[in-house]
Amino acid sequence: MDIVERRRCFRGTQLVIRHAAARVGCTMHVAVFLPPQAETSACPVLYWLSGLTCTEQNFITKAGAQRYAAEHGVILVAPDTSPRGADVADAEGYDIGLGAGFYVNATEAPWAAHYQMAAYVERELPAFIDANFRTTGRQSILGHSMGGHGALTIALRNPRAYASVSAFSPIVAPTQVPWGRKVFAAYLGPDESTWQAYDACALVANAEAHVPMRIDQGTADEFLHTQLRPELLQAACQRVGYPLDLRMQEGYDHSYYFIASFIGEHIAFHAEALRL
């Protein structure tokens, strides 16, 4: 573990760590905020997954989340959104390749060599955090846009591993919208049945356990009707009786201004679940 950044923040410590990640076959950067409570006791962990084009820096510099993590005694962990490096595959466009890992395990060349972000977030990253910091063993997950898709699908595939899940402006049905269909065809291949493991709407239909779930979606989001489609997840949840707290926030867009406005409520939501 190589600490590349350390800053005092709300009586806690904001770190950026570089470590060798076996599942993605490269060095990954991860932001870790340690609340002041971490100096004397073990703390639960809240994982944040960012959206397209982001790195670990966007969340820690724009969301204002450290204030609330310090209040509730929660460790915040925010990994990069994709593998990086000279030998990592890339492509034209912001919505595929570097910065667009989509939190799947790619099966198609050239992506399969490094784009194993689902396995990294689900298994390797928690093991790394638990091995290097004092944690209680309890964890929750949230994210934004592509990262909201990642948070929802990871929690739904592993319902007993997460105390709660939430998202801002998530891509809830990637198999049905342009962003998801483009990337899934490239990363996972033409057999659309393999895509279902990374679609929140499909996963809800077969959920073996319920994870407390909250979604905030801005009504002025430019991607609302073309890429995000929260009504599809709402309908899927209603069909099987899966509890969903979907909050449509009037006038908010897709930006970090939106995230910063409600991140305190999301952290409080997770902190309550993590205490149970």
Side-chain angles (χ1 to χ4, degrees):
M1 183 175 72
D2 181 17
I3 297 175
V4 297
E5 185 176 341
R6 182 194 298 267
R7 300 186 189 278
R8 195 70 172 159
C9 185
F10 291 103
R11 297 177 294 110
T13 305
Q14 179 65 64
L15 304 173
V16 176
I17 293 165
R18 181 170 56 222
H19 77 116
R23 295 310 300 260
V24 293
C26 69
T27 298
M28 290 291 289
H29 281 73
V30 183
V32 179
F33 175 72
L34 300 173
Q37 296 87 337
E39 295 180 4
T40 57
S41 61
C43 296
V45 182
L46 180 55
Y47 289 89
W48 167 270
L49 304 182
S50 291
L52 286 166
T53 75
C54 291
T55 69
E56 79 289 341
Q57 290 291 326
N58 298 74
F59 178 67
I60 64 175
T61 58
K62 295 181 179 181
Q66 295 94 335
R67 174 196 304 267
Y68 306 104
E71 176 184 342
H72 292 286
V74 174
I75 297 171
L76 280 178
V77 177
D80 199 352
T81 52
S82 78
R84 308 271 179 178
D87 60 340
V88 175
D90 197 11
E92 291 288 335
Y94 72 94
D95 53 357
I96 187 170
L98 299 182
F102 258 85
Y103 306 101
V104 304
N105 292 330
T107 57
E108 301 295 300
W111 311 103
H114 296 283
Y115 285 76
Q116 304 293 312
M117 288 296 293
Y120 173 69
V121 173
E122 290 176 6
R123 302 286 182 263
E124 186 173 7
L125 182 58
F128 172 80
I129 294 298
D130 289 342
N132 286 280
F133 301 97
R134 296 178 64 191
T135 72
T136 63
R138 291 184 59 77
Q139 61 185 12
S140 292
I141 191 167
L142 77 164
H144 171 233
S145 193
M146 176 186 74
H149 141 76
L152 292 174
T153 55
I154 287 170
L156 287 167
R157 284 198 306 273
N158 304 276
R160 291 177 176 84
Y162 296 92
S164 51
V165 60
S166 72
F168 292 87
S169 314
I171 307 168
V172 303
T175 63
Q176 301 182 56
V177 300
W179 273 342
R181 292 190 63 81
K182 174 181 178 178
V183 168
F184 285 7
Y187 293 175
L188 303 174
D191 181 0
E192 296 189 17
S193 67
T194 66
W195 301 4
Q196 302 303 307
Y198 304 105
D199 186 296
C201 291
L203 291 167
V204 158
N206 299 298
E208 60 183 53
H210 293 169
V211 182
M213 181 186 299
R214 169 175 290 179
I215 292 175
D216 274 340
Q217 173 63 62
T219 62
D221 191 316
E222 61 268 41
F223 304 113
L224 174 58
H225 302 296
T226 57
Q227 305 283 12
L228 307 179
R229 306 289 305 277
E231 73 279 2
L232 296 178
L233 182 59
Q234 185 176 46
C237 288
Q238 289 174 344
R239 282 193 293 270
V240 297
Y242 197 109
L244 167 64
D245 180 17
L246 172 61
R247 311 191 307 182
M248 300 300 295
Q249 302 291 3
E250 186 66 32
Y252 286 90
D253 59 17
H254 200 71
S255 71
Y256 265 85
Y257 294 106
F258 173 42
I259 296 168
S261 298
F262 297 99
I263 192 65
E265 295 178 24
H266 279 243
I267 292 177
F269 165 76
H270 290 293
E272 180 177 358
L274 288 164
R275 282 193 294 267
L276 297 178

